[in-house]
Amino acid sequence: STHSSGAHIAGVRSQAGPFHGVEAWYDGYALNVGRYQISYSQIFIGSRLNNQDNFIQAGYIVDKSRFFRTGQLWTYAFWKGKDGKGCYNTACDGFIQVSRKIPIVQPIDLKPGVPDWSRWSIHQDKGTGNWWLTQILSNGPNEDIGYWPKELFNLIDNGATTVGVGGAVQASGSGESPPMGNGNFPVGGRLDSALVTNIEVLDSNYNNRKMNSFSTEIMVDSPKCYGVRIGKVKPFHRTRLGFFFNYGGPGGNSC
């Protein structure tokens, strides 16, 4: 959700807030990234005012310089709050880990081309105003991973103006951009490229709604290298994918 030199995004966002949460079911792949490249699959929520940003993003990351093995997929979260403070995971004070089962950051062992799936939610607690990270499980009770106290933030204390979902990459200093998603453009079948399904937001009244019940926009800033394809479910189709899309691409030197 941040733009620096060599950063590219492919996803969907809505700026029709205030929002109190975002959740999605998404897949992550092991990828061949260069030493100074990063590839993300993420959900995010945030607000911007003047030159200030508050945001929280979470999902999967492939980052060879931070996590040592090539192509290794990790779960992660990143936050930015008031006074420019913020960091990955627990690299600085802020995030309070609660779960004893699911750490905020962990390596995922994968065979090439076989995805891992997660359903995570970033959501604000109505009573305390704190922002929680929760793993949503279809076959058991949800697991609260931990939370960011509301005191860390000054722009999202009463909800956030923007929510988004999708992929992001950071190019290396030489300008080469890494693959995003599973490295394939979303051109055809549902399982050919990276997938985000059941995208829902908590609205201003803390009600769960499909993201596309608000005005949404597709974000693709480098269509030569990455794409987004909004999904269509035929009425008779049994899979309940909600609002979903495919995204990603190979990257390259001319992104």
Side-chain angles (χ1 to χ4, degrees):
S1 64
T2 53
H3 274 286
S4 54
S5 65
H8 297 297
I9 48 176
V12 176
R13 75 175 171 194
S14 175
Q15 298 184 293
F19 297 112
H20 294 288
V22 59
E23 72 172 66
W25 199 42
Y26 50 88
D27 57 5
Y29 293 81
L31 289 172
N32 187 18
V33 304
R35 185 167 170 196
Y36 299 109
Q37 299 172 337
I38 311 174
S39 192
Y40 306 88
S41 312
Q42 63 188 24
I43 59 176
F44 68 85
I45 190 159
S47 294
R48 167 169 250 178
L49 189 63
N50 303 324
N51 285 325
Q52 283 190 85
D53 267 322
N54 279 191
F55 63 85
I56 299 169
Q57 58 192 58
Y60 291 121
I61 187 172
V62 180
D63 180 348
K64 200 173 170 184
S65 55
R66 182 171 286 104
F67 304 117
F68 309 105
R69 285 167 55 194
T70 323
Q72 175 87 57
L73 187 71
W74 292 70
T75 62
Y76 89 101
F78 184 86
W79 66 277
K80 189 172 175 195
K82 62 187 180 192
D83 307 321
K85 293 197 172 103
C87 60
Y88 282 95
N89 308 319
T90 55
C92 61
D93 287 342
F95 183 76
I96 313 288
Q97 174 79 34
V98 171
S99 171
R100 294 178 176 200
K101 288 195 296 193
I102 303 174
I104 189 174
V105 56
Q106 64 178 327
I108 311 290
D109 281 321
L110 290 174
K111 297 184 178 75
V114 178
D116 187 63
W117 286 89
S118 281
R119 188 163 184 177
W120 275 14
S121 162
I122 301 166
H123 56 101
Q124 190 170 31
D125 178 70
K126 197 172 183 175
T128 62
N130 297 332
W131 287 91
W132 281 83
L133 184 63
T134 298
Q135 180 155 320
I136 296 173
L137 300 165
S138 49
N139 54 356
N142 296 339
E143 180 81 7
D144 290 328
I145 299 169
Y147 67 92
W148 293 270
K150 73 165 180 210
E151 292 75 24
L152 298 172
F153 307 101
N154 61 332
L155 301 181
I156 57 174
D157 1 2
N158 298 308
T161 53
T162 304
V163 296
V165 186
V169 297
Q170 179 65 49
S172 62
S174 66
E176 185 169 355
S177 292
M180 182 195 293
N182 67 356
N184 295 334
F185 277 110
V187 288
R190 197 172 289 164
L191 298 175
D192 295 345
S193 57
L195 184 61
V196 189
T197 75
N198 302 99
I199 308 162
E200 300 194 349
V201 298
L202 276 184
D203 67 12
S204 57
N205 296 314
Y206 293 83
N207 295 319
N208 234 5
R209 292 171 56 182
K210 285 185 185 177
M211 184 177 173
N212 62 329
S213 66
F214 299 89
S215 59
T216 56
E217 57 182 312
I218 293 177
M219 307 175 292
V220 179
D221 59 8
S222 183
K224 278 186 300 196
C225 298
Y226 312 106
V228 168
R229 181 182 169 109
I230 303 292
K232 293 178 176 55
V233 173
K234 299 191 174 73
F236 57 83
H237 204 287
R238 283 205 301 252
T239 12
R240 303 273 181 264
L241 296 180
F243 175 58
F244 74 98
F245 63 86
N246 289 85
Y247 74 94
N253 280 313
S254 55
C255 302

